Amino acid sequence: MQVTRLRNVRIVDGIHASSKPTDLYIVDQTLARNVPAETKINHDYDLQDHVVMAGGIDIHTHIGGGKVNLARLLWPDRKARSSDEKPWLGPLSAPVPSTWETGQRYLQMGYTTCFEPAMLAANARQSHIEMRDTPWLDTGGYVVLGNDRMLLNMIAQRSGQDAINDYVAWMVASSAAMAIKVVNAGGIDAFKYNQRQLNVDEAHPELPVTPRDILWSLATAAEELGLAHPLHVHCSNLGTPGNIVSTLATLDAIEGRRIHLTHAQYHCYGNQGPHGFSSEASKLADRVNSSSHLSIDVGQVLFGQTITLSADTMHQFANRKLASPRKQIFQDLECQAGCGLLPFRYQEGQYVHGLQWAIGLELFLRIQDPTRVFLTTDHPNGGPFTGYPHLIRLLMDYDFRMSIFDRLHPDVQKTSSLPSLKREYRLDEIAAMTRLGPARALGLQSRGNLNPGSLADVVVYRNDTNAETMFSSPVMVFRKGRMVLKEGVFLEDCNKTVLVSDFQARQEALEWGNRPANAQRWQKQYGYSPWLTAIDPEEFADEGLSVEHAHWHD
Amino acid sequence: MNEPNRRPEICSFCSLLCELTPEVSCSKRIASLSQVSRRHGSLGQSEAAVDGSAERAAQRAIRQIGNATDVLITGRFRCVDSTRSAVELAQRCSAVIDPWDSDQAMHAIASLQRSGGYSVSLGEARDRSDLWIVIGQDRMLDHTPLLPQAIQRGEIVPLLLLGKWSDSSIRQWQQAGFEALCIDAHLEDLPRCLSQATRLGADHCDSQLGRWILQSTYSTVLFAPATLEVAQVDLWMDMLSQWILRQNQTHRIATLSWGGLESTFHQTCTWLTGFPGRIRFDKKVPGYDPGHYRAQSWCDRRPNATSDPSRPLVVWVDDSIEPVPEEFLRVEVPKISISSIPIANPTAQDVWLPSGIAGVSSAMKAFRGDQTILANIQPASNQNLPKLRSPSDWIGRLLQCK
């Protein structure tokens, strides 16, 4: 038994609010508040004036899969990283860095668990393998449904919810996913038929199906299958002025079922004001505040160069002329979805970009419960994830926030309500939005908190009035009980875990692919058997990964 | 549960990665398997000798790597597994890494990096296309003989063959169920011709080719960069991509650029390092220079190791069943070859670490030619082949000591 004692620390995990110094023990891979007096302490650290949090959890970050790798490929003119002993302290080499750099950079901020939110079933193996090659992080992914032609046909043919549940169960199980994500329900497929927009109650050009039908079917499947994470929704009309109407219609379509709205900042726009583009963040925030079954991640915009990538080809193609530099990649993929990539530069002096920045912050500041609003930039879409410490400072420091606001386009300063929002996040609220909340939303009881028995993913930060400094350079990071980073120096790699859903019926779910009628339909649709792309759990063992299941506790 | 349906047996002899069924009969697979059996058979007969000397060979290889200060890792990588281990070895040795046959793939990547494009995966194109435009020549079918069957969805669909196609190739497309029409065309000019044919739009179009394209609801332009005989593939692809992107402003059309198994290297290397290949590691950090770190150029600059103070060394990693290329054999630099075929006329400094065939005698993960599906390929079940280490096993052995 290996025991590490962290003495005189301030525990901040969104549950325990005491500011009194206390001791925290790491016993092998788990946490304890005390150990028997005779226990031998192997490592003992006095950490007065330090804050201890659980490892950070990023609920929505594009870190593995076809479009992520295309984004790496699209950016060859990157800066060479300096080759001194701490190269990760230099600038990020590219908006979408390699798997090696991704793992290093996340750990260096104290993040230990990340989720790729857009795995195509056809491409799930690649997503998992890339994430396996991302050191230090435990990972999982959400399978993209809602534009897969098999599902659309089932809904169109009124096959019934039971049949849809069976199919969804198969897709989640065979792609080893944590959850279901829907991207512009039906819109990606409609674009393949040359339709350029699809509203919530508009019919698909070829099938008697509307986005409302798709959303309802998938939200019902997620709930009836008992998936830990609710339907993860990228709404219709991303980035379009006036899209608050379709966003609220999307929430209505779910009819009170659990839902997670992703990169919500891009979905709460009005079409008023001097440029026909305005903030409707307060409407969405009010809705979140009054609906306990609703959570969001923000998708905050941070100024600078990035690459936007999305399965939403319909809207990425519509935005192609905004690419900077001027190049773009689009793909229609395997009767399941698509992808679009555009390099993009968010600029402080540009009205729309400035207002997007303010809208994201408005959402953070208006939503009262920090366990239901999660800190993301929708990496890399709003900006690279390495901007999180800066974003935390924006939330914790009103004056700092205003110092940037004052540099924005004059019309943003005239129209935005941001100056009136004086709220400054506390440390426990930051812990709630970056640890506890995401863990709860994903059904990961042993992560995101410092309860006795929880996994010993522990981050020690030096208390600092500058939150950006504090959150960009933890003093120590422990992964599964072992110290892997100390004062910026990586000590060792750690065993990695893949996180997958646990709805009671994985074996039953996989039976779907063996039923002759299903196998024949699949073969006819794709030209190969259902088992070509299905992931066998043994593959994870072959890759040296352990598997952890998420549970839904209402 | 019908267990035999799990883990389909997958053919690894071309980038279609077909699932094997009684109906799938492929001349390339039959010829390749016979070749593999012969090779493995001869390896098997001398297995004891190889095994006995393998450890000594590994020790020599480890010493050579330890002494070298200028290392190139090259070869024919066809799977994630070999690429991963080779990249790790390159990082440890501060080596240059680039596949031997990377020119065509790098041209395609260069075009993508410059212009982007609009592409479609095989399954989508098969399901959605109501017009196929296939650009190329017979070599496309030499590489992937079952491609016509793979893109056919079971109904008659029009298909235009543009380029240089023999009667026998045209028949292959027709026999697969396409209404194939061949238009003999100069490949170099095709992107410009397509652009010309569609420039006036659907209402005023003055060419039959243009009308076909503009009246289709979803056209797919299929080509294979590695088999295209055009002078500058990257510029050719730039022009085609620009035309495709313009067309999509009003109607739907996409390219299906078919890559070989070597694309697996470029994909894997990209996620591991951020670059598709042609990199050199310096203190574990990759530096990308497509001109300078090309494997064949590295060899050209080092014609003779005896006069080279930098103690050069080439590590050849080969997942394929092709003979080692003559140009590589002519390089007078010590070589460590991890392959199923020994180096012809080796020098005293050369080392051979005999490996099996990925996908046949050992498991591998490889991308289908459209780079959408990463297949998990298990060893062939009906081949009675001796167990030999895979290239990644050998590199793992070398890494233990580096």
Side-chain angles (χ1 to χ4, degrees):
Chain A
M1 185 171 76
Q2 287 287 312
V3 179
T4 300
R5 178 166 57 189
L6 308 179
R7 276 190 290 131
N8 298 316
V9 292
R10 184 179 158 207
I11 289 178
V12 178
D13 67 353
I15 302 172
H16 307 93
S18 169
S19 58
K20 218 171 86 180
T22 187
D23 294 350
L24 182 69
Y25 294 86
I26 298 172
V27 181
D28 292 332
Q29 295 198 21
T30 55
L31 296 171
R33 283 305 167 85
N34 46 52
V35 292
E38 67 278 12
T39 305
K40 181 186 168 196
I41 307 292
N42 302 90
H43 306 283
D44 200 8
Y45 302 98
D46 188 353
L47 294 167
Q48 209 163 17
D49 295 328
H50 288 72
V51 169
V52 174
M53 291 189 182
I57 299 172
D58 198 337
I59 197 167
H60 188 109
T61 174
H62 296 280
I63 54 169
K67 61 183 179 304
V68 177
N69 224 27
L70 273 174
R72 296 183 180 113
L73 208 57
L74 194 59
W75 206 262
D77 310 318
R78 66 195 66 197
K79 298 177 190 78
R81 284 192 295 153
S82 64
S83 51
D84 61 20
E85 64 169 4
K86 296 179 185 176
W88 51 89
L89 294 179
L92 193 64
S93 66
V96 182
S98 68
T99 51
W100 289 347
E101 191 176 351
T102 299
Q104 288 176 347
R105 298 274 184 172
Y106 261 114
L107 192 76
Q108 203 226 339
M109 300 187 304
Y111 275 73
T112 55
T113 309
C114 291
F115 292 89
E116 162 56 53
M119 291 193 312
L120 248 58
N123 192 235
R125 183 173 285 114
Q126 181 187 352
S127 299
H128 283 296
I129 294 284
E130 280 187 40
M131 290 191 279
R132 181 260 178 229
D133 284 343
T134 306
W136 291 291
L137 298 181
D138 289 345
T139 54
Y142 317 147
V143 64
V144 174
L145 298 176
N147 285 281
D148 42 329
R149 223 158 278 153
M150 289 192 75
L151 176 72
L152 299 188
N153 283 326
M154 290 172 85
I155 298 172
Q157 291 158 10
R158 307 289 179 252
S159 300
Q161 189 64 39
D162 287 348
I164 289 170
N165 289 357
D166 283 353
Y167 167 75
V168 170
W170 153 261
M171 293 297 268
V172 173
S174 65
S175 54
M178 265 289 287
I180 309 165
K181 185 189 187 194
V182 58
V183 180
N184 185 7
I188 301 168
D189 198 61
F191 184 58
K192 293 171 184 170
Y193 293 84
N194 207 24
Q195 184 148 333
R196 305 289 161 140
Q197 195 176 15
L198 192 69
N199 280 312
V200 177
D201 289 307
E202 203 171 342
H204 182 282
E206 288 292 314
L207 297 166
V209 178
T210 64
R212 182 182 294 273
D213 300 331
I214 298 166
L215 290 161
W216 189 86
S217 298
L218 288 175
T220 304
E223 203 149 292
E224 291 184 356
L225 290 170
L227 293 179
H229 187 50
L231 184 62
H232 195 95
V233 180
H234 160 142
C235 296
S236 319
N237 299 318
L238 177 137
T240 309
N243 65 9
I244 186 67
V245 175
S246 54
T247 300
L248 296 177
T250 297
L251 298 176
D252 293 340
I254 304 292
E255 292 177 10
R257 296 195 184 281
R258 296 162 68 225
I259 180 172
H260 178 83
L261 197 62
T262 191
H263 38 71
Q265 178 276 130
Y266 290 102
H267 299 283
C268 56
Y269 302 152
N271 50 15
Q272 308 299 308
H275 304 269
F277 182 77
S278 54
S279 171
E280 293 289 2
S282 60
K283 279 190 185 153
L284 183 59
D286 288 349
R287 186 67 173 260
V288 176
N289 286 333
S290 63
S291 312
S292 61
H293 63 282
L294 170 59
S295 60
I296 70 161
D297 64 84
V298 169
Q300 175 67 34
V301 157
L302 297 172
F303 299 117
Q305 179 70 55
T306 192
I307 292 180
T308 64
L309 53 85
S310 174
D312 193 347
T313 20
M314 178 183 265
H315 290 101
Q316 287 291 81
F317 192 80
N319 289 330
R320 67 195 179 282
K321 291 182 178 162
L322 303 176
S324 171
R326 188 65 71 87
K327 53 185 178 181
Q328 57 251 252
I329 296 177
F330 303 99
Q331 293 185 326
D332 292 333
L333 290 166
E334 217 58 6
C335 311
Q336 291 180 353
C339 89
L341 291 92
L342 308 173
F344 201 84
R345 176 174 284 279
Y346 292 102
Q347 299 170 80
E348 284 182 355
Q350 216 272 7
Y351 173 78
V352 171
H353 303 173
L355 196 60
Q356 286 178 310
W357 177 88
I359 289 170
L361 294 175
E362 260 194 84
L363 283 175
F364 279 118
L365 298 166
R366 289 180 184 278
I367 293 173
Q368 299 303 315
D369 180 357
T371 63
R372 290 194 293 118
V373 52
F374 310 136
L375 186 136
T376 66
T377 57
D378 184 20
H379 164 77
N381 289 310
F385 64 85
T386 46
Y388 287 177
H390 172 79
L391 176 53
I392 291 171
R393 187 178 177 199
L394 288 170
L395 298 176
M396 295 185 75
D397 184 340
Y398 177 82
D399 292 339
F400 178 64
R401 192 157 72 222
M402 285 302 104
S403 71
I404 294 177
F405 183 81
D406 290 343
R407 301 202 298 253
L408 302 185
H409 189 285
D411 289 341
V412 175
Q413 296 185 40
K414 273 186 221 153
T415 54
S416 173
S417 61
L418 193 66
S420 68
L421 300 170
K422 301 279 171 69
R423 180 180 176 188
E424 292 183 330
Y425 266 74
R426 302 184 309 266
L427 272 181
D428 62 308
E429 291 177 316
I430 296 296
M433 76 186 334
T434 56
R435 275 93 173 155
L436 181 66
R440 280 184 180 166
L442 291 160
L444 304 171
Q445 276 88 14
S446 69
R447 293 172 190 251
N449 65 72
L450 297 173
N451 286 338
S454 286
L455 184 71
D457 278 1
V458 177
V459 190
V460 180
Y461 294 106
R462 190 175 286 112
N463 224 339
D464 196 310
T465 51
N466 182 332
E468 188 168 350
T469 306
M470 176 173 164
F471 283 96
S472 58
S473 49
V475 176
M476 298 173 190
V477 180
F478 294 85
R479 286 282 285 119
K480 298 174 182 169
R482 303 176 71 139
M483 193 193 290
V484 292
L485 183 138
K486 187 175 184 188
E487 300 286 2
V489 177
F490 294 95
L491 303 177
E492 57 179 306
D493 203 347
C494 58
N495 296 329
K496 284 169 58 71
T497 299
V498 60
L499 297 131
V500 301
S501 70
D502 172 35
F503 54 99
Q504 302 299 312
R506 183 176 161 87
Q507 280 308 314
E508 261 178 60
L510 288 172
E511 269 302 289
W512 185 96
N514 274 342
R515 287 183 208 132
N518 297 335
Q520 278 167 19
R521 269 195 303 152
W522 186 281
Q523 183 85 34
K524 187 169 187 306
Q525 181 77 65
Y526 296 110
Y528 47 80
S529 81
W531 300 104
L532 180 72
T533 51
I535 297 170
D536 190 310
E538 282 177 29
E539 292 180 40
F540 292 129
D542 292 345
E543 291 283 344
L545 293 164
S546 55
V547 176
E548 180 180 328
H549 293 102
H551 304 270
W552 179 21
H553 286 247
D554 202 358
Chain B
M1 188 179 296
N2 188 0
E3 200 59 35
N5 279 351
R6 302 287 180 90
R7 291 201 176 201
E9 196 165 318
I10 301 168
C11 172
S12 58
F13 291 107
C14 85
S15 54
L16 265 176
L17 303 176
C18 300
E19 288 177 272
L20 295 173
T21 64
E23 294 79 40
V24 175
S25 168
C26 171
S27 55
K28 191 179 183 86
R29 176 177 161 76
I30 293 164
S32 301
L33 263 178
S34 141
Q35 196 182 342
V36 168
S37 292
R38 271 203 312 278
R39 292 256 161 74
H40 266 278
S42 64
L43 284 173
Q45 282 160 18
S46 60
E47 192 178 7
V50 170
D51 228 23
S53 60
E55 189 50 36
R56 286 195 299 279
Q59 290 298 336
R60 278 183 59 209
I62 288 163
R63 277 197 301 278
Q64 290 210 3
I65 290 176
N67 290 334
T69 55
D70 183 13
V71 180
L72 168 69
I73 298 175
T74 186
R76 287 183 291 223
F77 308 89
R78 299 290 185 261
C79 61
V80 170
D81 324 74
S82 300
T83 305
R84 263 182 182 159
S85 50
V87 168
E88 191 176 351
L89 183 63
Q91 191 187 41
R92 297 266 190 100
C93 301
S94 296
V96 168
I97 182 165
D98 181 45
W100 189 257
D101 48 7
S102 65
D103 281 353
Q104 294 294 54
M106 291 304 284
H107 286 317
I109 289 167
S111 169
L112 192 72
Q113 288 172 334
R114 258 198 317 268
S115 315
Y118 205 127
S119 63
V120 60
S121 72
L122 172 65
E124 181 77 52
R126 177 182 172 276
D127 187 70
R128 182 75 192 87
S129 267
D130 58 0
L131 174 67
W132 284 86
I133 301 165
V134 183
I135 300 177
Q137 59 260 67
D138 296 342
R139 284 180 62 204
M140 180 190 277
L141 296 182
D142 296 341
H143 272 245
T144 42
L146 293 181
L147 194 55
Q149 285 86 341
I151 65 171
Q152 169 55 247
R153 64 169 175 259
E155 57 187 80
I156 293 175
V157 177
L159 180 142
L160 301 175
L161 288 166
L162 307 184
K164 303 287 178 195
W165 297 92
S166 66
D167 289 346
S168 124
S169 292
I170 296 168
R171 264 198 308 281
Q172 278 192 59
W173 291 101
Q174 287 169 337
Q175 282 165 0
F178 288 99
E179 191 184 334
L181 174 71
C182 181
I183 301 175
D184 199 33
H186 190 47
L187 283 172
E188 298 277 359
D189 290 341
L190 266 174
R192 196 174 51 80
C193 292
L194 290 166
S195 188
Q196 284 283 319
T198 51
R199 74 190 192 289
L200 297 175
D203 295 339
H204 305 97
C205 189
D206 55 1
S207 90
Q208 184 58 46
L209 176 61
R211 274 194 291 276
W212 279 328
I213 294 170
L214 295 168
Q215 284 167 7
S216 126
T217 62
Y218 195 109
S219 315
T220 298
V221 180
L222 168 65
F223 65 99
T227 63
L228 269 183
E229 287 172 10
V230 294
Q232 288 184 292
V233 175
D234 56 339
L235 298 180
W236 188 93
M237 286 180 64
D238 282 358
M239 286 177 65
L240 186 70
S241 298
Q242 291 302 325
W243 172 68
I244 295 274
L245 283 167
R246 278 199 307 277
Q247 293 302 303
N248 274 290
Q249 291 176 22
T250 52
H251 67 279
R252 296 311 324 276
I253 181 167
T255 57
L256 175 49
S257 172
W258 194 258
L261 284 172
E262 67 276 7
S263 62
T264 300
F265 173 88
H266 302 291
Q267 285 275 0
T268 310
C269 191
T270 299
W271 79 61
L272 290 173
T273 68
F275 304 109
R278 299 199 175 171
I279 51 179
R280 179 182 194 129
F281 284 93
D282 179 17
K283 294 180 187 168
K284 298 196 171 183
V285 177
Y288 177 56
D289 187 339
H292 200 65
Y293 300 142
R294 177 176 173 265
Q296 297 189 32
S297 304
W298 186 97
C299 290
D300 292 344
R301 291 194 297 271
R302 292 161 185 80
N304 190 334
T306 52
S307 59
D308 194 330
S310 66
R311 299 200 298 276
L313 173 73
V314 183
V315 181
W316 176 268
V317 181
D318 205 330
D319 291 320
S320 80
I321 54 170
E322 311 296 323
V324 178
E326 286 293 325
E327 314 88 276
F328 175 72
L329 293 173
R330 283 198 290 273
V331 180
E332 292 182 20
V333 168
K335 303 174 187 73
I336 297 170
S337 172
I338 305 171
S339 58
S340 64
I341 304 170
I343 301 171
N345 306 317
T347 67
Q349 290 176 301
D350 293 343
V351 178
W352 177 45
L353 302 174
S355 65
I357 313 285
V360 179
S361 57
S362 60
M364 75 172 197
K365 293 184 190 68
F367 278 94
R368 196 174 67 180
D370 61 353
Q371 300 180 52
T372 303
I373 289 178
L374 179 63
N376 185 31
I377 304 168
Q378 295 302 307
S381 60
N382 59 350
Q383 303 298 314
N384 191 18
L385 299 170
K387 292 279 176 220
L388 287 168
R389 289 185 185 193
S390 67
S392 56
D393 291 338
W394 273 122
I395 298 173
R397 174 82 181 83
L398 302 181
L399 281 166
Q400 282 170 10
C401 301
K402 182 64 184 173

